[in-house]
Amino acid sequence: MRDSTTGKAGTTTSMTTSISPKPQAPRPASEVVAKQIPLPLVPAQPAVTFRKDSAGKIYYVVTDSQSGQEIRQIPADAVRKASEGIDEFLKQIEAKEKSHLKVKA
């Protein structure tokens, strides 16, 4: 007996067919688009608050608007403290210079 697919004698072939699942109903376009957009659609905006330090200088604080957690102070606390130290040092030098000045009358 000859195989009709190969033409060789004595060989047989078996055919298997797979049953494909039923096609699903098409999804609405809004559902397809919604799954493609990463969440959250609009990122949370940080909150910015202006404050005055003990020397009366203004700085601002950036906080997470959802959690209320402080993210950053600008300028940073360490910078503000260094600035206060420099101001104090300059005031001391100025005071020393004024005390050494001679006023002619």
Side-chain angles (χ1 to χ4, degrees), residues 70-82:
E70 186 176 295
I71 299 170
R72 173 176 291 174
Q73 292 183 9
I74 302 172
D77 188 44
V79 173
R80 288 195 320 276
K81 287 181 181 179

Side-chain angles (χ1 to χ4, degrees), residues 34-87:
K35 287 188 177 188
Q36 294 174 352
I37 298 174
L39 295 177
L41 183 59
V42 177
Q45 296 293 321
V48 179
T49 306
F50 291 89
R51 298 183 184 163
K52 280 188 176 183
D53 62 9
S54 60
K57 294 186 179 181
I58 295 175
Y59 66 101
Y60 62 98
V61 178
V62 180
T63 56
D64 184 329
S65 59
Q66 291 180 343
S67 69
Q69 182 179 8
E70 186 176 295
I71 299 170
R72 173 176 291 174
Q73 292 183 9
I74 302 172
D77 188 44
V79 173
R80 288 195 320 276
K81 287 181 181 179
S83 174
E84 289 175 13
I86 292 169
D87 287 344

Side-chain angles (χ1 to χ4, degrees), residues 3-50:
D3 186 352
S4 61
T5 58
T6 62
K8 295 182 180 179
T11 59
T12 59
T13 58
S14 63
M15 295 180 59
T16 59
T17 58
S18 62
I19 301 173
S20 58
K22 289 184 179 181
Q24 295 180 348
R27 293 183 178 173
S30 60
E31 185 179 327
V32 173
V33 171
K35 287 188 177 188
Q36 294 174 352
I37 298 174
L39 295 177
L41 183 59
V42 177
Q45 296 293 321
V48 179
T49 306
F50 291 89

